Amino acid sequence: MLIGFVALYLAVSIGIGLYAATRVKNTTDYVAAGRHLPLYITVATVFATWFGSETVLGISATFLDEGMRGLWSDPFGASLCLILVGLFFARPLYRMNLLTLGDYYRQRFGRTTEVLCSIAIVLSYLGWVSAQITALGLVFNTLSDGMVSNETGMLIGAGIVLLYTLFGGMWSVALTDFMQMTIIIVGLIYVAWIIGDEAGGVATVVAHASEAGKFNFLPELSVPDMIAFTAGILTMGFGSIPQQDVFQRVNSARDEKTAVRGSILGGSGYFLFAFVPLFIAYAATLIDPELVATYQESDSQQILPQLILNHTPIFAQVMFFGALLSAIMSTASGTLLAPSVTFAENILRGTFRKMDDRQFLWLTRAVVVIFALFVTWYAMRSDESIHGMVENAYKVTLATAFVPLAFGLYWKRATTQGALLSIFIGLGVWLSLETFAPEAVVPPHFAAMLAGVLAMIAGSLAPQSLIKPSHGQPHHLDTAAKS
């Protein structure tokens, strides 16, 4: 029954994705859903931005190992990112009528900045998408009781996500996100109720976690711990702001008010609901401490799936794995589309200048296929945890792309020279410290961001004779498609 449900669910997801493809008439439809999304779907897509394998499997396993102190980056930093986007970035970027975030860098600082920041954005998705593919492999392996290997599961999962994202683009992402968010909320709340009751009630689970020190969140009053706390939150809090999937979801809203509200509500909802998997995972320590001890030594990401399979009725298993697959696939589809669109628009399009809109649409789809194959290969070769993949994904954008975006929007004196100096100095500091002092008191990516701020200020205030901006052709959304 469980496997049959999963097969049915996957078939429905593919069907919705292919139905969404009928709405794609041009690049604007493919990349930004024609800028037609109402508030409730915008909230769903923003919520689904982060609620993936990292939230259900990654941070729940980290919580069991390290407590709340291990979650500074996610969910605290991740939800902070979405709320900051709504408060400070959604409105000005929406008004610019852009196709991608890379287009902003070109308009504000020129072609060179566009290419460099776009490359950083694309690279940041390698670990993020791979984490989702890894989680799909784990789920299929668990559901089949080992008959499907992790590697085969990754191939199956990647193929399904690719199929319904390839043709429908952002319309597929939006419609499947709404369905999947509904399943996530209903499924996990039901499973939390079943598991909580078996563990002795919510109060019992919370009290046990508190006594074990799992709720210790604040850093110690020492310089190293305070710096680690700040860097942990800002790695995703700032580093994931210059991300195409975040921008794409906000930019697909039907108006700027919807973009702002959708981002704030989606980010707030993500923060609150991220604690549900933590509760379910910690309840396992009361229900089956031997299972927890066994998998903490081998693979703590297996604790939650194994708990559900061994201690819940079949309907609860159906609800949990439906919610888990929804969480993973909703994130995987958006994060597969985002870097592909960025690479096609901001790197390849400058080379193939004579393409019409239809040709560019098919070029983008080709890049989606290539990127899907590449991240699947990377996921199959990597032995890093899901949490580690995601946490490392945004270091490159924090070091290179965040400062030009923030200063470009809010400091009129920011220049192309300052932006390029910030990118090169930030990248240089990050790579140098990662190589020679990875365990430094100030984490390499955080030091790189601070160096980038100083470089942006110095480069912008210095004589501007060193670098001449080259903006190239502007690429705007097809406003006719909106009407």
Side-chain angles (χ1 to χ4, degrees):
M1 180 179 175
L2 181 57
I3 295 175
F5 166 79
V6 169
L8 176 62
Y9 170 77
L10 295 175
V12 170
S13 297
I14 293 171
I16 292 175
L18 295 178
Y19 164 75
T22 62
R23 298 188 175 209
V24 177
K25 309 299 181 185
N26 52 44
T27 302
T28 303
D29 291 333
Y30 191 76
V31 175
R35 292 187 125 189
H36 281 303
L37 300 185
L39 179 61
Y40 68 97
I41 294 185
T42 302
V43 171
T45 60
V46 171
F47 175 91
T49 306
W50 300 141
F51 209 100
S53 62
E54 157 72 351
T55 312
V56 181
L57 300 178
I59 68 173
S60 60
T62 302
F63 179 70
L64 292 178
D65 293 335
E66 305 175 32
M68 204 71 77
R69 286 173 57 88
L71 308 182
W72 290 338
S73 63
D74 192 4
F76 293 95
S79 54
L80 174 66
C81 159
L82 297 175
I83 293 171
L84 289 178
V85 166
L87 292 174
F88 300 107
F89 295 88
R91 195 179 301 274
L93 288 174
Y94 190 92
R95 289 176 178 175
M96 293 180 73
N97 199 32
L98 305 169
L99 188 67
T100 67
L101 195 58
D103 290 346
Y104 165 80
Y105 292 107
R106 181 184 61 256
Q107 286 196 22
R108 184 66 174 84
F109 297 117
R111 172 66 175 163
T112 304
T113 306
E114 171 196 15
V115 172
L116 292 174
C117 288
S118 296
I119 290 173
I121 290 170
V122 171
L123 290 176
S124 72
Y125 281 96
L126 183 60
W128 184 226
V129 186
S130 296
Q132 312 312 311
I133 302 301
T134 299
L136 286 171
L138 186 151
V139 170
F140 287 124
N141 175 261
T142 301
L143 287 174
S144 66
D145 197 22
M147 293 179 64
V148 176
S149 67
N150 280 335
E151 292 75 14
T152 303
M154 290 180 197
L155 291 173
I156 294 171
I160 293 169
V161 172
L162 173 62
L163 181 60
Y164 77 75
T165 306
L166 178 62
F167 297 103
M170 191 58 199
W171 269 119
S172 290
V173 172
L175 296 184
T176 54
D177 276 357
F178 180 70
M179 177 196 74
Q180 289 159 346
M181 189 191 77
T182 304
I183 295 173
I184 290 168
I185 292 175
V186 173
L188 287 183
I189 287 177
Y190 174 75
V191 170
W193 175 58
I194 293 292
I195 292 295
D197 187 58
E198 189 172 346
V202 175
T204 301
V205 176
V206 172
H208 193 280
S210 179
E211 291 173 5
K214 297 298 183 181
F215 293 144
N216 294 336
F217 171 74
L218 295 175
E220 298 176 3
L221 295 179
S222 65
V223 173
D225 217 43
M226 294 291 289
I227 292 175
F229 171 77
T230 305
I233 289 181
L234 295 188
T235 295
M236 286 191 73
F238 284 0
S240 48
I241 288 175
Q243 288 293 327
Q244 175 62 22
D245 64 323
V246 176
F247 168 78
Q248 203 160 272
R249 284 164 158 84
V250 171
N251 201 44
S252 299
R254 64 184 177 189
D255 53 52
E256 65 181 61
K257 185 181 293 186
T258 301
V260 172
R261 291 176 177 174
S263 185
I264 294 172
L265 291 174
S268 301
Y270 171 77
F271 176 75
L272 294 174
F273 205 73
F275 288 93
V276 176
L278 302 187
F279 170 80
I280 298 172
Y282 194 80
T285 62
L286 301 178
I287 296 172
D288 194 341
E290 185 177 340
L291 179 146
V292 173
T294 299
Y295 283 103
Q296 274 188 311
E297 293 179 0
S298 55
D299 183 3
S300 55
Q301 296 168 157
Q302 286 274 8
I303 292 174
L304 210 51
Q306 294 298 331
L307 172 73
I308 301 302
L309 286 174
N310 295 329
H311 292 277
T312 62
I314 187 65
F315 184 71
Q317 295 176 27
V318 167
M319 296 299 289
F320 173 78
F321 283 101
L324 178 56
L325 281 171
S326 295
I328 298 170
M329 292 172 67
S330 63
T331 300
S333 58
T335 51
L336 175 62
L337 181 65
S340 304
V341 169
T342 299
F343 190 81
E345 161 72 4
N346 302 113
I347 298 174
L348 294 182
R349 192 166 191 166
T351 304
F352 304 103
R353 296 179 180 274
K354 295 183 179 181
M355 283 190 302
D356 59 25
D357 186 78
R358 182 176 178 80
Q359 291 170 328
F360 177 69
L361 178 58
W362 282 103
L363 173 66
T364 304
R365 284 171 168 156
V367 176
V368 170
V369 174
I370 294 170
F371 193 78
L373 293 173
F374 183 71
V375 295
T376 303
W377 170 82
Y378 179 81
M380 293 173 70
R381 291 180 59 88
S382 177
D383 58 358
E384 195 170 10
S385 71
I386 292 172
H387 185 71
M389 284 183 182
V390 173
E391 195 171 32
N392 292 329
Y394 300 105
K395 292 179 180 179
V396 62
T397 45
L398 180 65
T400 58
F402 172 71
V403 172
L405 174 62
F407 275 74
L409 286 174
Y410 287 102
W411 191 38
K412 292 182 178 180
R413 298 185 67 179
T415 66
T416 298
Q417 180 172 286
L420 290 174
L421 194 61
S422 174
I423 292 168
F424 285 116
I425 293 295
L427 183 63
V429 169
W430 177 53
L431 294 177
S432 297
L433 291 178
E434 284 285 1
T435 302
F436 299 108
E439 303 298 327
V441 173
V442 180
H445 52 281
F446 190 60
M449 184 198 72
L450 297 177
V453 169
L454 297 176
M456 169 62 86
I457 296 172
S460 297
L461 297 179
Q464 301 298 300
S465 58
L466 299 178
I467 299 172
K468 302 290 185 182
S470 174
H471 295 276
Q473 286 295 109
H475 305 152
H476 295 287
L477 287 170
D478 180 8
T479 53
K482 183 173 172 60
S483 61

